[in-house]
Amino acid sequence: MNNNIIKTVADVFGATPEDIKGKRRTKPIADARAVCFFLLRKTGMTVENVGKKLNRHHTTVVLGTKKVESLLSFDKAFIKQVEQVLDKVPELREVA
């Protein structure tokens, strides 16, 4: 399921799984990466394991997760994108 999350998030945000795991930090890719952090954490993965999976330090995972939680409280466009991901990966609805 973890690879499915990464692929789905990449599709919705207009990126590729390689972009999400890569070094580029453009806003769409950084947002997609942060959503992956958030959703992978919701599946029960540790911050260390999420970091290893996406080639990031665990502190980056923590900050990205907090960013998503904040954006989900007010950014309607961002909320729509996350909803699209949840629609495509129904098993995430239970944990997110």
Side-chain angles (χ1 to χ4, degrees):
M1 178 165 82
N2 297 339
N3 288 332
N4 189 26
I5 292 170
I6 295 168
K7 182 179 179 340
T8 304
V9 170
D11 290 344
V12 169
F13 281 80
T16 66
E18 292 76 26
D19 288 335
I20 291 175
K21 294 177 182 180
K23 294 181 184 267
R24 291 180 61 206
R25 297 186 313 191
T26 61
K27 182 165 175 37
I29 292 172
D31 286 350
R33 190 177 293 131
V35 171
C36 285
F37 296 159
F38 176 78
L39 294 174
L40 290 170
R41 287 286 294 136
K42 291 292 185 181
T43 66
M45 285 182 74
T46 65
V47 290
E48 290 83 7
N49 288 339
V50 173
K52 286 178 188 173
K53 182 138 190 88
L54 297 177
N55 302 319
R56 294 293 181 280
H57 194 267
H58 71 275
T59 56
T60 304
V61 174
V62 171
L63 291 174
T65 301
K66 287 181 181 178
K67 173 187 170 184
V68 170
E69 290 170 348
S70 173
L71 289 172
L72 287 175
S73 68
F74 69 89
D75 188 332
K76 292 180 194 290
F78 188 77
I79 292 167
K80 272 188 178 178
Q81 287 181 301
V82 173
E83 287 288 327
Q84 288 176 357
V85 173
L86 295 176
D87 289 343
K88 292 181 179 188
V89 187
E91 57 268 21
L92 279 176
R93 283 254 180 230
E94 299 168 13
V95 294

